[in-house]
PDB file of all heavy atoms in Angstrom:
ATOM      1  N   LEU A  27      59.045 -14.953  69.939  1.00 76.00           N
ATOM      2  CA  LEU A  27      59.389 -13.764  70.726  1.00 76.00           C
ATOM      3  C   LEU A  27      58.219 -13.264  71.553  1.00 76.00           C
ATOM      4  O   LEU A  27      58.394 -12.802  72.674  1.00 76.00           O
ATOM      5  CB  LEU A  27      59.855 -12.611  69.823  1.00 76.00           C
ATOM      6  CG  LEU A  27      61.217 -12.844  69.151  1.00 76.00           C
ATOM      7  CD1 LEU A  27      61.469 -11.774  68.057  1.00 76.00           C
ATOM      8  CD2 LEU A  27      62.351 -12.817  70.145  1.00 76.00           C
ATOM      9  N   ALA A  28      57.014 -13.340  71.035  1.00 78.00           N
ATOM     10  CA  ALA A  28      55.788 -13.082  71.783  1.00 78.00           C
ATOM     11  C   ALA A  28      55.134 -14.307  72.291  1.00 78.00           C
ATOM     12  O   ALA A  28      54.863 -15.209  71.493  1.00 78.00           O
ATOM     13  CB  ALA A  28      54.861 -12.227  70.896  1.00 78.00           C
ATOM     14  N   ALA A  29      54.912 -14.463  73.571  1.00 81.00           N
ATOM     15  CA  ALA A  29      54.265 -15.581  74.174  1.00 81.00           C
ATOM     16  C   ALA A  29      52.903 -15.806  73.672  1.00 81.00           C
ATOM     17  O   ALA A  29      52.153 -14.842  73.412  1.00 81.00           O
ATOM     18  CB  ALA A  29      54.300 -15.520  75.656  1.00 81.00           C
ATOM     19  N   ALA A  30      52.527 -17.053  73.431  1.00 85.00           N
ATOM     20  CA  ALA A  30      51.201 -17.408  72.999  1.00 85.00           C
ATOM     21  C   ALA A  30      50.305 -17.968  74.149  1.00 85.00           C
ATOM     22  O   ALA A  30      50.919 -18.472  75.121  1.00 85.00           O
ATOM     23  CB  ALA A  30      51.208 -18.334  71.816  1.00 85.00           C
ATOM     24  N   SER A  31      49.060 -17.961  73.972  1.00 88.00           N
ATOM     25  CA  SER A  31      48.132 -18.627  74.948  1.00 88.00           C
ATOM     26  C   SER A  31      47.148 -19.485  74.213  1.00 88.00           C
ATOM     27  O   SER A  31      46.855 -19.281  73.049  1.00 88.00           O
ATOM     28  CB  SER A  31      47.418 -17.573  75.802  1.00 88.00           C
ATOM     29  OG  SER A  31      46.664 -16.721  74.935  1.00 88.00           O
ATOM     30  N   LEU A  32      46.672 -20.531  74.928  1.00 95.00           N
ATOM     31  CA  LEU A  32      45.742 -21.560  74.312  1.00 95.00           C
ATOM     32  C   LEU A  32      44.297 -21.268  74.693  1.00 95.00           C
ATOM     33  O   LEU A  32      44.079 -20.715  75.782  1.00 95.00           O
ATOM     34  CB  LEU A  32      46.223 -22.898  74.761  1.00 95.00           C
ATOM     35  CG  LEU A  32      47.617 -23.344  74.311  1.00 95.00           C
ATOM     36  CD1 LEU A  32      47.928 -24.677  75.000  1.00 95.00           C
ATOM     37  CD2 LEU A  32      47.702 -23.426  72.821  1.00 95.00           C
ATOM     38  N   PRO A  33      43.342 -21.731  73.852  1.00 96.00           N
ATOM     39  CA  PRO A  33      43.550 -22.280  72.520  1.00 96.00           C
ATOM     40  C   PRO A  33      43.878 -21.216  71.533  1.00 96.00           C
ATOM     41  O   PRO A  33      43.626 -20.029  71.806  1.00 96.00           O
ATOM     42  CB  PRO A  33      42.127 -22.875  72.234  1.00 96.00           C
ATOM     43  CG  PRO A  33      41.202 -21.962  73.014  1.00 96.00           C
ATOM     44  CD  PRO A  33      41.944 -21.640  74.303  1.00 96.00           C
ATOM     45  N   LEU A  34      44.521 -21.588  70.473  1.00 95.00           N
ATOM     46  CA  LEU A  34      45.109 -20.668  69.521  1.00 95.00           C
ATOM     47  C   LEU A  34      44.794 -21.097  68.118  1.00 95.00           C
ATOM     48  O   LEU A  34      44.965 -22.255  67.724  1.00 95.00           O
ATOM     49  CB  LEU A  34      46.596 -20.632  69.736  1.00 95.00           C
ATOM     50  CG  LEU A  34      47.467 -19.856  68.692  1.00 95.00           C
ATOM     51  CD1 LEU A  34      47.297 -18.368  68.839  1.00 95.00           C
ATOM     52  CD2 LEU A  34      48.945 -20.189  68.913  1.00 95.00           C
ATOM     53  N   VAL A  35      44.348 -20.118  67.271  1.00 97.00           N
ATOM     54  CA  VAL A  35      44.349 -20.299  65.790  1.00 97.00           C
ATOM     55  C   VAL A  35      45.579 -19.612  65.273  1.00 97.00           C
ATOM     56  O   VAL A  35      45.717 -18.350  65.417  1.00 97.00           O
ATOM     57  CB  VAL A  35      43.090 -19.683  65.155  1.00 97.00           C
ATOM     58  CG1 VAL A  35      43.083 -19.751  63.695  1.00 97.00           C
ATOM     59  CG2 VAL A  35      41.834 -20.365  65.712  1.00 97.00           C
ATOM     60  N   PRO A  36      46.556 -20.370  64.708  1.00 96.00           N
ATOM     61  CA  PRO A  36      47.737 -19.782  64.243  1.00 96.00           C
ATOM     62  C   PRO A  36      47.503 -18.965  62.970  1.00 96.00           C
ATOM     63  O   PRO A  36      46.462 -19.027  62.353  1.00 96.00           O
ATOM     64  CB  PRO A  36      48.693 -20.898  64.069  1.00 96.00           C
ATOM     65  CG  PRO A  36      47.743 -22.079  63.690  1.00 96.00           C
ATOM     66  CD  PRO A  36      46.514 -21.808  64.497  1.00 96.00           C
ATOM     67  N   GLY A  37      48.576 -18.229  62.547  1.00 96.00           N
ATOM     68  CA  GLY A  37      48.547 -17.501  61.275  1.00 96.00           C
ATOM     69  C   GLY A  37      48.546 -16.026  61.511  1.00 96.00           C
ATOM     70  O   GLY A  37      47.675 -15.449  62.169  1.00 96.00           O
ATOM     71  N   ALA A  38      49.547 -15.371  60.933  1.00 94.00           N
ATOM     72  CA  ALA A  38      49.774 -13.980  61.220  1.00 94.00           C
ATOM     73  C   ALA A  38      49.561 -13.059  60.004  1.00 94.00           C
ATOM     74  O   ALA A  38      49.761 -11.824  60.060  1.00 94.00           O
ATOM     75  CB  ALA A  38      51.188 -13.745  61.744  1.00 94.00           C
ATOM     76  N   GLU A  39      49.082 -13.656  58.856  1.00 96.00           N
ATOM     77  CA  GLU A  39      48.872 -12.800  57.680  1.00 96.00           C
ATOM     78  C   GLU A  39      47.812 -13.390  56.834  1.00 96.00           C
ATOM     79  O   GLU A  39      47.763 -14.649  56.628  1.00 96.00           O
ATOM     80  CB  GLU A  39      50.150 -12.597  56.935  1.00 96.00           C
ATOM     81  CG  GLU A  39      50.828 -13.957  56.441  1.00 96.00           C
ATOM     82  CD  GLU A  39      52.103 -13.770  55.698  1.00 96.00           C
ATOM     83  OE1 GLU A  39      52.743 -12.785  55.853  1.00 96.00           O
ATOM     84  OE2 GLU A  39      52.382 -14.645  54.878  1.00 96.00           O
ATOM     85  N   VAL A  40      46.988 -12.540  56.295  1.00 98.00           N
ATOM     86  CA  VAL A  40      45.905 -13.005  55.414  1.00 98.00           C
ATOM     87  C   VAL A  40      45.663 -11.948  54.279  1.00 98.00           C
ATOM     88  O   VAL A  40      46.028 -10.790  54.451  1.00 98.00           O
ATOM     89  CB  VAL A  40      44.566 -13.209  56.165  1.00 98.00           C
ATOM     90  CG1 VAL A  40      44.657 -14.289  57.159  1.00 98.00           C
ATOM     91  CG2 VAL A  40      44.068 -11.875  56.789  1.00 98.00           C
ATOM     92  N   VAL A  41      45.146 -12.392  53.154  1.00 98.00           N
ATOM     93  CA  VAL A  41      44.710 -11.565  52.116  1.00 98.00           C
ATOM     94  C   VAL A  41      43.225 -11.928  51.865  1.00 98.00           C
ATOM     95  O   VAL A  41      42.917 -13.112  51.883  1.00 98.00           O
ATOM     96  CB  VAL A  41      45.540 -11.607  50.873  1.00 98.00           C
ATOM     97  CG1 VAL A  41      45.538 -13.010  50.275  1.00 98.00           C
ATOM     98  CG2 VAL A  41      45.130 -10.577  49.872  1.00 98.00           C
ATOM     99  N   GLY A  42      42.390 -10.967  51.665  1.00 98.00           N
ATOM    100  CA  GLY A  42      40.954 -11.289  51.342  1.00 98.00           C
ATOM    101  C   GLY A  42      40.171 -10.008  51.264  1.00 98.00           C
ATOM    102  O   GLY A  42      40.716  -8.951  50.996  1.00 98.00           O
ATOM    103  N   ARG A  43      38.866 -10.164  51.491  1.00 98.00           N
ATOM    104  CA  ARG A  43      37.978  -9.006  51.321  1.00 98.00           C
ATOM    105  C   ARG A  43      37.222  -8.784  52.617  1.00 98.00           C
ATOM    106  O   ARG A  43      36.845  -9.724  53.287  1.00 98.00           O
ATOM    107  CB  ARG A  43      37.060  -9.188  50.107  1.00 98.00           C
ATOM    108  CG  ARG A  43      37.759  -9.167  48.766  1.00 98.00           C
ATOM    109  CD  ARG A  43      36.750  -9.094  47.642  1.00 98.00           C
ATOM    110  NE  ARG A  43      37.488  -9.188  46.349  1.00 98.00           N
ATOM    111  CZ  ARG A  43      38.038  -8.141  45.664  1.00 98.00           C
ATOM    112  NH1 ARG A  43      37.885  -6.980  46.246  1.00 98.00           N
ATOM    113  NH2 ARG A  43      38.618  -8.317  44.551  1.00 98.00           N
ATOM    114  N   THR A  44      36.896  -7.501  52.859  1.00 98.00           N
ATOM    115  CA  THR A  44      36.057  -7.091  53.970  1.00 98.00           C
ATOM    116  C   THR A  44      34.598  -7.258  53.475  1.00 98.00           C
ATOM    117  O   THR A  44      34.345  -7.350  52.276  1.00 98.00           O
ATOM    118  CB  THR A  44      36.254  -5.639  54.378  1.00 98.00           C
ATOM    119  OG1 THR A  44      35.884  -4.813  53.337  1.00 98.00           O
ATOM    120  CG2 THR A  44      37.796  -5.417  54.641  1.00 98.00           C
ATOM    121  N   PRO A  45      33.620  -7.248  54.436  1.00 97.00           N
ATOM    122  CA  PRO A  45      32.242  -7.287  54.000  1.00 97.00           C
ATOM    123  C   PRO A  45      31.816  -6.184  53.009  1.00 97.00           C
ATOM    124  O   PRO A  45      30.885  -6.318  52.220  1.00 97.00           O
ATOM    125  CB  PRO A  45      31.448  -7.188  55.283  1.00 97.00           C
ATOM    126  CG  PRO A  45      32.388  -7.734  56.349  1.00 97.00           C
ATOM    127  CD  PRO A  45      33.764  -7.322  55.867  1.00 97.00           C
ATOM    128  N   GLU A  46      32.513  -5.029  53.075  1.00 96.00           N
ATOM    129  CA  GLU A  46      32.284  -3.943  52.185  1.00 96.00           C
ATOM    130  C   GLU A  46      32.935  -4.086  50.800  1.00 96.00           C
ATOM    131  O   GLU A  46      32.781  -3.241  49.919  1.00 96.00           O
ATOM    132  CB  GLU A  46      32.777  -2.611  52.759  1.00 96.00           C
ATOM    133  CG  GLU A  46      32.084  -2.201  54.097  1.00 96.00           C
ATOM    134  CD  GLU A  46      32.560  -3.049  55.249  1.00 96.00           C
ATOM    135  OE1 GLU A  46      33.699  -3.479  55.241  1.00 96.00           O
ATOM    136  OE2 GLU A  46      31.777  -3.252  56.246  1.00 96.00           O
ATOM    137  N   GLY A  47      33.727  -5.149  50.666  1.00 96.00           N
ATOM    138  CA  GLY A  47      34.326  -5.390  49.353  1.00 96.00           C
ATOM    139  C   GLY A  47      35.748  -4.935  49.197  1.00 96.00           C
ATOM    140  O   GLY A  47      36.359  -5.137  48.131  1.00 96.00           O
ATOM    141  N   ARG A  48      36.334  -4.303  50.223  1.00 97.00           N
ATOM    142  CA  ARG A  48      37.761  -3.900  50.160  1.00 97.00           C
ATOM    143  C   ARG A  48      38.666  -5.146  50.067  1.00 97.00           C
ATOM    144  O   ARG A  48      38.448  -6.070  50.793  1.00 97.00           O
ATOM    145  CB  ARG A  48      38.174  -3.111  51.387  1.00 97.00           C
ATOM    146  CG  ARG A  48      37.734  -1.658  51.437  1.00 97.00           C
ATOM    147  CD  ARG A  48      38.186  -1.052  52.753  1.00 97.00           C
ATOM    148  NE  ARG A  48      39.690  -0.999  52.889  1.00 97.00           N
ATOM    149  CZ  ARG A  48      40.308  -0.967  54.024  1.00 97.00           C
ATOM    150  NH1 ARG A  48      39.601  -1.020  55.204  1.00 97.00           N
ATOM    151  NH2 ARG A  48      41.662  -0.937  54.045  1.00 97.00           N
ATOM    152  N   ARG A  49      39.614  -5.048  49.245  1.00 97.00           N
ATOM    153  CA  ARG A  49      40.614  -6.124  49.128  1.00 97.00           C
ATOM    154  C   ARG A  49      41.825  -5.720  49.952  1.00 97.00           C
ATOM    155  O   ARG A  49      42.459  -4.628  49.628  1.00 97.00           O
ATOM    156  CB  ARG A  49      40.999  -6.444  47.649  1.00 97.00           C
ATOM    157  CG  ARG A  49      41.978  -7.596  47.543  1.00 97.00           C
ATOM    158  CD  ARG A  49      42.000  -8.157  46.137  1.00 97.00           C
ATOM    159  NE  ARG A  49      42.965  -9.237  46.049  1.00 97.00           N
ATOM    160  CZ  ARG A  49      44.184  -9.106  45.433  1.00 97.00           C
ATOM    161  NH1 ARG A  49      44.520  -7.924  44.948  1.00 97.00           N
ATOM    162  NH2 ARG A  49      44.969 -10.127  45.401  1.00 97.00           N
ATOM    163  N   VAL A  50      42.188  -6.440  51.001  1.00 98.00           N
ATOM    164  CA  VAL A  50      43.260  -6.038  51.882  1.00 98.00           C
ATOM    165  C   VAL A  50      44.114  -7.191  52.138  1.00 98.00           C
ATOM    166  O   VAL A  50      43.788  -8.362  52.042  1.00 98.00           O
ATOM    167  CB  VAL A  50      42.667  -5.495  53.209  1.00 98.00           C
ATOM    168  CG1 VAL A  50      41.736  -4.263  53.001  1.00 98.00           C
ATOM    169  CG2 VAL A  50      41.891  -6.619  53.944  1.00 98.00           C
ATOM    170  N   VAL A  51      45.378  -6.803  52.550  1.00 98.00           N
ATOM    171  CA  VAL A  51      46.287  -7.751  53.152  1.00 98.00           C
ATOM    172  C   VAL A  51      46.521  -7.267  54.590  1.00 98.00           C
ATOM    173  O   VAL A  51      46.593  -6.034  54.824  1.00 98.00           O
ATOM    174  CB  VAL A  51      47.567  -7.813  52.353  1.00 98.00           C
ATOM    175  CG1 VAL A  51      48.386  -6.506  52.348  1.00 98.00           C
ATOM    176  CG2 VAL A  51      48.515  -8.938  52.880  1.00 98.00           C
ATOM    177  N   ALA A  52      46.514  -8.138  55.539  1.00 97.00           N
ATOM    178  CA  ALA A  52      46.573  -7.755  56.900  1.00 97.00           C
ATOM    179  C   ALA A  52      47.510  -8.667  57.723  1.00 97.00           C
ATOM    180  O   ALA A  52      47.671  -9.813  57.436  1.00 97.00           O
ATOM    181  CB  ALA A  52      45.138  -7.900  57.490  1.00 97.00           C
ATOM    182  N   LEU A  53      48.083  -8.012  58.771  1.00 96.00           N
ATOM    183  CA  LEU A  53      48.865  -8.704  59.693  1.00 96.00           C
ATOM    184  C   LEU A  53      48.015  -8.927  61.017  1.00 96.00           C
ATOM    185  O   LEU A  53      47.308  -8.017  61.395  1.00 96.00           O
ATOM    186  CB  LEU A  53      50.146  -7.873  60.074  1.00 96.00           C
ATOM    187  CG  LEU A  53      51.180  -7.802  58.948  1.00 96.00           C
ATOM    188  CD1 LEU A  53      52.340  -6.914  59.426  1.00 96.00           C
ATOM    189  CD2 LEU A  53      51.694  -9.138  58.494  1.00 96.00           C
ATOM    190  N   LEU A  54      48.142 -10.085  61.557  1.00 95.00           N
ATOM    191  CA  LEU A  54      47.403 -10.453  62.735  1.00 95.00           C
ATOM    192  C   LEU A  54      48.363 -10.961  63.852  1.00 95.00           C
ATOM    193  O   LEU A  54      49.469 -11.358  63.580  1.00 95.00           O
ATOM    194  CB  LEU A  54      46.457 -11.595  62.385  1.00 95.00           C
ATOM    195  CG  LEU A  54      45.818 -11.647  61.028  1.00 95.00           C
ATOM    196  CD1 LEU A  54      45.063 -12.940  60.835  1.00 95.00           C
ATOM    197  CD2 LEU A  54      44.827 -10.509  60.884  1.00 95.00           C
ATOM    198  N   THR A  55      47.881 -10.939  65.084  1.00 90.00           N
ATOM    199  CA  THR A  55      48.661 -11.582  66.137  1.00 90.00           C
ATOM    200  C   THR A  55      48.371 -13.118  66.068  1.00 90.00           C
ATOM    201  O   THR A  55      49.224 -13.898  66.439  1.00 90.00           O
ATOM    202  CB  THR A  55      48.200 -11.091  67.503  1.00 90.00           C
ATOM    203  OG1 THR A  55      46.791 -11.181  67.679  1.00 90.00           O
ATOM    204  CG2 THR A  55      48.635  -9.604  67.657  1.00 90.00           C
ATOM    205  N   SER A  56      47.217 -13.510  65.638  1.00 94.00           N
ATOM    206  CA  SER A  56      46.868 -14.910  65.398  1.00 94.00           C
ATOM    207  C   SER A  56      45.516 -14.961  64.631  1.00 94.00           C
ATOM    208  O   SER A  56      44.930 -13.884  64.390  1.00 94.00           O
ATOM    209  CB  SER A  56      46.706 -15.623  66.734  1.00 94.00           C
ATOM    210  OG  SER A  56      45.620 -15.043  67.479  1.00 94.00           O
ATOM    211  N   GLY A  57      45.143 -16.134  64.237  1.00 96.00           N
ATOM    212  CA  GLY A  57      43.800 -16.314  63.616  1.00 96.00           C
ATOM    213  C   GLY A  57      43.718 -16.465  62.167  1.00 96.00           C
ATOM    214  O   GLY A  57      42.664 -16.529  61.555  1.00 96.00           O
ATOM    215  N   GLY A  58      44.934 -16.472  61.468  1.00 98.00           N
ATOM    216  CA  GLY A  58      44.966 -16.493  60.030  1.00 98.00           C
ATOM    217  C   GLY A  58      44.549 -17.777  59.388  1.00 98.00           C
ATOM    218  O   GLY A  58      44.014 -17.768  58.242  1.00 98.00           O
ATOM    219  N   TYR A  59      44.791 -18.908  60.049  1.00 98.00           N
ATOM    220  CA  TYR A  59      44.487 -20.196  59.386  1.00 98.00           C
ATOM    221  C   TYR A  59      42.941 -20.517  59.577  1.00 98.00           C
ATOM    222  O   TYR A  59      42.599 -21.441  60.360  1.00 98.00           O
ATOM    223  CB  TYR A  59      45.320 -21.295  60.066  1.00 98.00           C
ATOM    224  CG  TYR A  59      46.773 -21.318  59.845  1.00 98.00           C
ATOM    225  CD1 TYR A  59      47.444 -20.250  59.239  1.00 98.00           C
ATOM    226  CD2 TYR A  59      47.533 -22.409  60.249  1.00 98.00           C
ATOM    227  CE1 TYR A  59      48.841 -20.265  59.069  1.00 98.00           C
ATOM    228  CE2 TYR A  59      49.006 -22.382  60.071  1.00 98.00           C
ATOM    229  CZ  TYR A  59      49.584 -21.328  59.499  1.00 98.00           C
ATOM    230  OH  TYR A  59      50.912 -21.361  59.361  1.00 98.00           O
ATOM    231  N   ALA A  60      42.140 -19.759  58.891  1.00 98.00           N
ATOM    232  CA  ALA A  60      40.691 -19.929  59.050  1.00 98.00           C
ATOM    233  C   ALA A  60      40.043 -19.297  57.885  1.00 98.00           C
ATOM    234  O   ALA A  60      40.651 -18.593  57.058  1.00 98.00           O
ATOM    235  CB  ALA A  60      40.271 -19.133  60.321  1.00 98.00           C
ATOM    236  N   GLU A  61      38.722 -19.553  57.791  1.00 98.00           N
ATOM    237  CA  GLU A  61      37.973 -19.068  56.643  1.00 98.00           C
ATOM    238  C   GLU A  61      37.663 -17.542  56.822  1.00 98.00           C
ATOM    239  O   GLU A  61      37.544 -16.839  55.833  1.00 98.00           O
ATOM    240  CB  GLU A  61      36.642 -19.785  56.557  1.00 98.00           C
ATOM    241  CG  GLU A  61      36.819 -21.282  56.079  1.00 98.00           C
ATOM    242  CD  GLU A  61      35.527 -21.981  55.992  1.00 98.00           C
ATOM    243  OE1 GLU A  61      34.691 -21.871  56.872  1.00 98.00           O
ATOM    244  OE2 GLU A  61      35.309 -22.744  54.978  1.00 98.00           O
ATOM    245  N   LYS A  62      37.585 -17.073  58.079  1.00 98.00           N
ATOM    246  CA  LYS A  62      37.466 -15.652  58.360  1.00 98.00           C
ATOM    247  C   LYS A  62      38.386 -15.282  59.528  1.00 98.00           C
ATOM    248  O   LYS A  62      38.583 -16.099  60.419  1.00 98.00           O
ATOM    249  CB  LYS A  62      35.989 -15.366  58.743  1.00 98.00           C
ATOM    250  CG  LYS A  62      35.049 -15.603  57.517  1.00 98.00           C
ATOM    251  CD  LYS A  62      33.617 -15.181  57.855  1.00 98.00           C
ATOM    252  CE  LYS A  62      32.722 -15.423  56.625  1.00 98.00           C
ATOM    253  NZ  LYS A  62      31.308 -14.996  56.861  1.00 98.00           N
ATOM    254  N   ALA A  63      38.824 -14.046  59.509  1.00 98.00           N
ATOM    255  CA  ALA A  63      39.811 -13.582  60.561  1.00 98.00           C
ATOM    256  C   ALA A  63      39.510 -12.154  60.885  1.00 98.00           C
ATOM    257  O   ALA A  63      38.943 -11.382  60.082  1.00 98.00           O
ATOM    258  CB  ALA A  63      41.229 -13.756  60.011  1.00 98.00           C
ATOM    259  N   LEU A  64      39.941 -11.761  62.047  1.00 98.00           N
ATOM    260  CA  LEU A  64      39.821 -10.372  62.491  1.00 98.00           C
ATOM    261  C   LEU A  64      41.223  -9.710  62.366  1.00 98.00           C
ATOM    262  O   LEU A  64      42.228 -10.331  62.714  1.00 98.00           O
ATOM    263  CB  LEU A  64      39.356 -10.274  63.984  1.00 98.00           C
ATOM    264  CG  LEU A  64      37.946 -10.775  64.261  1.00 98.00           C
ATOM    265  CD1 LEU A  64      37.641 -10.595  65.744  1.00 98.00           C
ATOM    266  CD2 LEU A  64      36.914 -10.028  63.387  1.00 98.00           C
ATOM    267  N   ALA A  65      41.204  -8.452  61.969  1.00 98.00           N
ATOM    268  CA  ALA A  65      42.416  -7.659  61.908  1.00 98.00           C
ATOM    269  C   ALA A  65      42.130  -6.278  62.459  1.00 98.00           C
ATOM    270  O   ALA A  65      41.051  -5.771  62.269  1.00 98.00           O
ATOM    271  CB  ALA A  65      42.921  -7.634  60.463  1.00 98.00           C
ATOM    272  N   LEU A  66      43.185  -5.684  63.044  1.00 96.00           N
ATOM    273  CA  LEU A  66      43.045  -4.271  63.428  1.00 96.00           C
ATOM    274  C   LEU A  66      43.040  -3.528  62.118  1.00 96.00           C
ATOM    275  O   LEU A  66      43.788  -3.776  61.208  1.00 96.00           O
ATOM    276  CB  LEU A  66      44.208  -3.819  64.286  1.00 96.00           C
ATOM    277  CG  LEU A  66      44.284  -4.458  65.696  1.00 96.00           C
ATOM    278  CD1 LEU A  66      45.617  -4.043  66.353  1.00 96.00           C
ATOM    279  CD2 LEU A  66      43.102  -3.909  66.498  1.00 96.00           C
ATOM    280  N   ALA A  67      42.198  -2.469  62.063  1.00 96.00           N
ATOM    281  CA  ALA A  67      42.050  -1.653  60.852  1.00 96.00           C
ATOM    282  C   ALA A  67      43.407  -1.019  60.517  1.00 96.00           C
ATOM    283  O   ALA A  67      43.716  -0.910  59.313  1.00 96.00           O
ATOM    284  CB  ALA A  67      40.952  -0.609  61.030  1.00 96.00           C
TER     285      ALA A  67
END
């Protein structure tokens, strides 16, 4: 439904920890299939 652009790291959801130690689950527009990802707070 939302158009994508290249290059692209797929993956819309991750669970993990922030550098401060918070354990979070997050939704992303992309970037989840990776060792580290960015999420809007």
Side-chain angles (χ1 to χ4, degrees):
L27 290 170
S31 59
L32 298 174
L34 170 72
V35 174
E39 57 179 27
V40 297
V41 62
R43 292 192 184 274
T44 68
E46 298 76 29
R48 283 179 62 204
R49 183 162 178 257
V50 299
V51 63
L53 292 178
L54 324 171
T55 54
S56 63
Y59 293 9
E61 293 180 316
K62 295 184 180 181
L64 294 180
L66 291 173

